[in-house]
Amino acid sequence: MGEKVYVARQDTQLEVQQTVNETKTTIGNIDDPAGEESLVGLIKNIPETVPTGAVKSVQRGIVQFQSTNEGKNFEITISDVEPSKCIVSLHSGVLGGVSNSCGTGVFVKELTKNKLTVFVITSSSAERASFSWEVSEFF
């Protein structure tokens, strides 16, 4: 009866060893190259297949114009972007001859693949007004 237990134990040890060897092969070795069909290789391949940062591109500028009480569209040509993956930031101000009663409203009218259209309303006695814009595109 002792011999059967020994054979069973030996078979079990062999199965455990095979499982360990298969697991080692699946996990891989630390020196496996990126893209190797092992866990280590796949982990090393992550930077190559997935972007490491969230921001893809940032475009920005400043538009200066004569201050009036009328609304006006400004069309700004930009490098190609995917509009659904963008955020637009606008900031307005006035330049020269600043009075107590001034204001500039800037609004995104449209963002297309290569154009940002901004609608501006000013109510100012300042000579000139301006706005800055920024288009941030994400992966």
Side-chain angles (χ1 to χ4, degrees), residues 13 15 20 23-24 27 32-33 41 50-51 64-65 77 84 87-89 94 96-97 99 102 110 122-123:
Q13 286 176 336
E15 288 176 24
V20 168
T23 304
K24 182 180 176 193
I27 293 173
D32 284 349
V50 178
Q64 295 182 1
F65 55 94
T77 302
S84 65
I87 293 177
V88 178
S89 300
V94 292
S99 72
C102 62
E110 181 180 32
T122 60
S123 172

Side-chain angles (χ1 to χ4, degrees), residues 9 35 46 59-60 67 69-70 74 78 96 101 105 108 117 124 130 137:
R9 185 179 295 160
I46 289 174
Q59 301 176 61
R60 61 176 65 102
S67 180
N69 289 329
E70 299 175 13
F74 289 88
I78 59 174
S101 172
V108 175
T117 304
S124 171
S130 68
E137 181 181 20

Side-chain angles (χ1 to χ4, degrees), residues 21-132:
N21 288 341
E22 287 174 15
T23 304
K24 182 180 176 193
T25 302
T26 304
I27 293 173
N29 298 314
I30 196 66
D31 56 345
D32 284 349
E36 189 76 19
E37 290 297 320
S38 68
L39 183 60
V40 172
L42 293 173
I43 289 172
K44 285 183 175 181
N45 202 39
I46 289 174
E48 301 298 321
T49 57
V50 178
T52 56
V55 177
K56 183 175 182 182
S57 69
V58 177
Q59 301 176 61
R60 61 176 65 102
I62 297 175
V63 176
Q64 295 182 1
F65 55 94
Q66 294 298 318
S67 180
T68 66
N69 289 329
E70 299 175 13
K72 183 175 182 180
N73 287 325
F74 289 88
E75 291 185 355
I76 302 162
T77 302
I78 59 174
S79 296
D80 288 357
V81 295
E82 176 60 46
S84 65
K85 296 182 178 184
C86 292
I87 293 177
V88 178
S89 300
L90 301 172
H91 303 280
S92 63
V94 292
L95 304 168
V98 177
S99 72
N100 291 334
S101 172
C102 62
T104 302
V106 289
F107 310 92
V108 175
K109 186 170 184 181
E110 181 180 32
L111 176 64
T112 64
K113 181 178 178 180
N114 57 9
K115 182 178 68 174
L116 169 64
T117 304
V118 177
F119 182 72
V120 178
I121 301 173
T122 60
S123 172
S124 171
S125 61
E127 296 171 11
R128 294 175 297 158
S130 68
F131 67 90
S132 62

Side-chain angles (χ1 to χ4, degrees), residues 1-15:
M1 188 160 203
E3 192 171 313
K4 288 184 181 182
V5 171
Y6 177 76
V7 171
R9 185 179 295 160
Q10 190 177 22
D11 289 344
T12 303
Q13 286 176 336
L14 183 59
E15 288 176 24

